[in-house]
Amino acid sequence: MTSVAASSGKSLTELFVQAAKEAIDDANADRVDALYVGNMMSGFLQNQEHIGSLMASALGKEGIPTYKVEGACASGAVAMNAAVKGVLSGLERIVVVGGVEKMSGHTTPEVTAGLMMAEDRMKVATSGVTFVGLNAMIAREYMQKYKISHDALARFPVMCHENALDNPRAQFHKRITVSDVLQSPLVADPLRLFDCSGTGDGAAAVVLAPIEEAKKFTDTPVEVAASSVATDTLSLYQRKDITVFEGSRKAVEESYKRAKLSPDDIDVLEVHDAFSVLGIMALEDLGFAEKGAGTRLLEDNQCSRDGKLPTNTFGGLKARGHPVGATGMYQIAEVALQLSNRAEKCQVPNAKVGLTESVGGIGGTVAVHILRSIEQ
Amino acid sequence: MTSVAASSGKSLTELFVQAAKEAIDDANADRVDALYVGNMMSGFLQNQEHIGSLMASALGKEGIPTYKVEGACASGAVAMNAAVKGVLSGLERIVVVGGVEKMSGHTTPEVTAGLMMAEDRMKVATSGVTFVGLNAMIAREYMQKYKISHDALARFPVMCHENALDNPRAQFHKRITVSDVLQSPLVADPLRLFDCSGTGDGAAAVVLAPIEEAKKFTDTPVEVAASSVATDTLSLYQRKDITVFEGSRKAVEESYKRAKLSPDDIDVLEVHDAFSVLGIMALEDLGFAEKGAGTRLLEDNQCSRDGKLPTNTFGGLKARGHPVGATGMYQIAEVALQLSNRAEKCQVPNAKVGLTESVGGIGGTVAVHILRSIEQ
């Protein structure tokens, strides 16, 4: 993982190559059979496509098959899912999968327009509503429907900022309070600046291999116990209840089934808190709380690293940062570090099973992964 | 397949949905487990990403996993390869894979800039050279190195236009001569207008399933005997010999090996003739002629539909059209029609094995597929 930065001074290629090389070196992989690159906005922001071939070439790995996989803000995690299928297909064994996004060097209107590509251009984006605006509608509806205060939602970013203090790669190293959140500038009512993840540059990558092969490379392999992608209707206007992400429910249900696990088995959780309300909704949609009861987990301090359900242990989207197409891979790399006991100051003791949830658009795509440590 | 048109009057979504619905109906598929969408330029031209979820939603298939796969001009065929791996992984059985591109509604400079996203933005595109310009360098080098005349190259587009006369979905229905090619306006020396494929809107899709399942749906299933993606260095300046696409050689070698077939077994061939010289080079790189001898196959009339190696039987990129991210899927759908004896006026008698070659960028990515008819 590269450090997440509002302005890294690095090109898209430099970001990806740094993360991929670090992953290959760390894994002791002696070869790479295929490369999967998750990214959302390179065409729009950098006017650069064909980045699978570009990155393979830059890594000196030209020749291998490459894939750019896009699933909006979940691009990294969707690429991970495609890479898992690549290994399962038997056509490739040692696979590098990474996510990358460069958002710096562009104006706020440009980045705002770029993010809005996750929504239906013809039917929704042209109405003038922004991506934050759509999430603000969700927040308003959630707060009204379940009688939840903004104070309660604000506990989520406060927790994330606390965790990020121990993550040297996090974008923000600043302790904040509920009061700071509520007094921060209004972005789209009711969402304030500290309800929202920032924009940043970043890349993260991992190496995948069949378990028996992985054991040859490292003493601390981590198993992909489940990898699921699900979709929902693309746009809010098509949904019955905008306070639920059916894609999250569907993806996690499939993942629990595949891994033969339940919410009780999860030792560490990384959720897609692009906005505070989404962090809370994720706790519910993934099965850790009843609908409308997500904020109670934070009131009971359960989501802290020393709680029952350590969540966003490296700072989450809010404080580690949200380099869009890379974020899903940050979550996966962070959980892999947790499960191999290499999370340093962010370490959750005895974490054996971790779950990641990555959301594309307004829940139009959701990718869930369950990772598990392997007893050697 | 939709008809390819310079200006279809249809949106990206309408194009894809038309092709996908036609494929699903034709296959009698009773369900869809996953959707793969190949596309190159939607972010740049339509300011629309997240098109996997968008298309699933528009098809009324929300819920299923979706993937946008990008590999420049080979996006459709690379998506096919990813979908094949999806089925082989065992995680999904009935899969729809399609390619789509909408190039209309934009100025020539915009589309030219869009195509150049296939090249390295920072090192090559910023030099001012266009995508046609790079291919013109290849043509010049090829003609000089192998003492090949422009007349000889021009036989390729002439053949393509001849074949397209029988394809109702082709963009161009016009017989042309070698003289027409040589007298057409200069685009980038030595390439003239009729050396170049046009820009167009289009979408094409197929349904994949394990063979035993496919046999339940249709009496004319076609087997994917091999599906290979390979890359080369991204840019021409990185190559020793720009008259060879090493990616094509590598991908086809792997495909022949996997299918246990050789060039002699191929009954129908679809190659990526974005420019006349690329059609000729493909005949060589795929093993049908020695290097520098590709044009002789056309002089001997071997590539016509009644020849020994029927090539671009529906008109190829030059005359069927080249809606970039869709083109690889047009090739695959056309070969599938050939092998199931449903190619109508374009039919090659007794075609049992077909090969497609789809090229991304200047050969930075190549996807090869070998399809085979199944004796019931």
Side-chain angles (χ1 to χ4, degrees), chain A residues 11 36 40 43-44 46-51 53-54 57 62-72 78 81 85-86 88-89 91-92 117-122 229-234 238 250 258 360-361 364-365, chain B residues 11 36 40 43-44 46-51 53-54 57 62-72 78 81 85-86 88-89 91-92 117-122 229-234 238 250 258 360-361 364-365:
Chain A
S11 72
Y36 291 76
M40 178 183 173
F44 183 82
Q46 282 84 40
N47 298 345
Q48 179 73 67
E49 291 291 357
H50 208 187
I51 65 175
S53 183
L54 173 68
S57 203
E62 62 273 7
I64 63 171
T66 66
Y67 308 84
K68 173 183 173 176
V69 181
E70 187 274 330
V78 176
N81 176 264
K85 290 197 284 192
L88 286 175
S89 76
L91 297 184
E92 54 215 29
M117 294 195 298
E119 249 290 357
D120 189 322
R121 172 81 186 161
M122 303 192 75
V229 172
T231 53
D232 194 353
T233 52
L234 187 73
Q238 298 168 304
K250 198 172 162 72
R258 230 171 237 163
T365 297
Chain B
S11 72
Y36 292 76
M40 178 183 173
F44 184 80
Q46 282 84 39
N47 298 346
Q48 178 71 68
E49 292 290 357
H50 209 186
I51 65 175
S53 183
L54 173 66
S57 203
E62 63 273 6
I64 62 171
T66 67
Y67 308 85
K68 173 183 174 176
V69 181
E70 188 274 331
V78 175
N81 175 264
K85 290 197 284 194
L88 285 175
S89 76
L91 297 184
E92 53 215 30
M117 294 195 298
E119 250 289 358
D120 189 321
R121 172 81 186 162
M122 302 193 75
V229 172
T231 52
D232 194 354
T233 52
L234 186 73
Q238 298 168 305
K250 199 173 162 70
R258 229 169 240 166
T365 298

Side-chain angles (χ1 to χ4, degrees), chain B residues 64-295:
Chain B
I64 62 171
T66 67
Y67 308 85
K68 173 183 174 176
V69 181
E70 188 274 331
C73 331
S75 296
V78 175
M80 173 78 174
N81 175 264
V84 165
K85 290 197 284 194
V87 175
L88 285 175
S89 76
L91 297 184
E92 53 215 30
R93 292 179 69 80
I94 317 288
V95 171
V96 172
V97 50
V100 62
E101 203 76 67
K102 179 175 163 66
M103 303 170 80
S104 64
H106 300 277
T107 63
T108 301
E110 284 168 346
V111 173
T112 302
L115 292 169
M116 202 56 185
M117 294 195 298
E119 250 289 358
D120 189 321
R121 172 81 186 162
M122 302 193 75
K123 293 184 183 162
V124 176
T126 47
S127 74
V129 66
T130 63
F131 197 71
V132 189
L134 291 166
N135 283 281
M137 293 180 200
I138 293 175
R140 177 63 71 205
E141 174 74 3
Y142 183 88
M143 290 164 74
Q144 288 186 346
K145 183 167 182 177
Y146 299 110
K147 316 282 182 246
I148 302 296
S149 69
H150 200 162
D151 293 52
L153 294 182
R155 288 176 188 271
F156 205 97
V158 169
M159 173 197 71
C160 287
H161 274 258
E162 193 67 30
N163 287 344
L165 291 173
D166 294 324
N167 176 7
R169 299 184 198 90
Q171 183 169 3
F172 301 111
H173 294 106
K174 179 184 177 177
R175 182 167 281 127
I176 62 170
T177 64
V178 166
S179 167
D180 289 336
V181 176
L182 300 187
Q183 288 171 28
S184 63
L186 195 63
V187 179
D189 189 34
L191 296 177
R192 292 179 175 271
L193 189 63
F194 286 3
D195 287 300
C196 310
S197 54
T199 62
D201 300 351
V206 303
V207 178
L208 299 181
I211 289 174
E212 290 314 309
E213 198 133 7
K215 284 181 179 172
K216 289 182 214 161
F217 296 138
T218 172
D219 292 333
T220 55
V222 171
E223 180 192 8
V224 181
S227 173
S228 304
V229 172
T231 52
D232 194 354
T233 52
L234 186 73
S235 303
L236 291 188
Y237 77 85
Q238 298 168 305
R239 302 199 191 149
K240 286 181 187 165
D241 182 353
I242 65 171
T243 67
V244 176
F245 280 171
E246 290 295 345
S248 290
R249 286 185 169 180
K250 199 173 162 70
V252 83
E253 186 185 357
E254 188 186 282
S255 275
Y256 286 141
K257 195 173 161 189
R258 229 169 240 166
K260 299 190 174 66
L261 294 171
S262 75
D264 285 344
D265 297 309
I266 305 303
D267 300 320
V268 57
L269 176 67
E270 296 293 328
V271 301
H272 192 93
D273 61 315
F275 303 96
S276 51
V277 65
L278 298 192
I280 301 296
M281 277 169 54
L283 296 174
E284 302 164 357
D285 295 339
L286 301 174
F288 300 101
E290 294 295 312
K291 210 63 215 173
T295 55

Side-chain angles (χ1 to χ4, degrees), chain A residues 295-375:
Chain A
T295 55
R296 281 188 227 153
L297 295 182
L298 284 109
E299 283 158 27
D300 297 347
N301 212 31
Q302 290 193 36
C303 295
S304 309
R305 280 206 300 264
D306 56 358
K308 191 186 161 212
L309 181 66
T311 300
N312 289 10
T313 58
F314 284 73
L317 278 64
K318 176 65 197 83
R320 170 243 292 126
H322 181 26
V324 177
T327 298
M329 288 308 304
Y330 273 92
Q331 294 177 320
I332 286 165
E334 287 163 356
V335 168
L337 289 181
Q338 288 286 8
L339 303 185
S340 55
N341 203 26
R342 299 191 296 159
E344 302 183 351
K345 286 188 179 175
C346 295
Q347 186 66 48
V348 170
N350 299 314
K352 301 292 181 196
V353 179
L355 188 148
T356 66
E357 179 229 31
S358 182
V359 176
I362 322 288
T365 297
V366 179
V368 167
H369 286 84
I370 298 180
L371 306 184
R372 187 159 46 191
S373 66
I374 300 181
E375 308 294 338

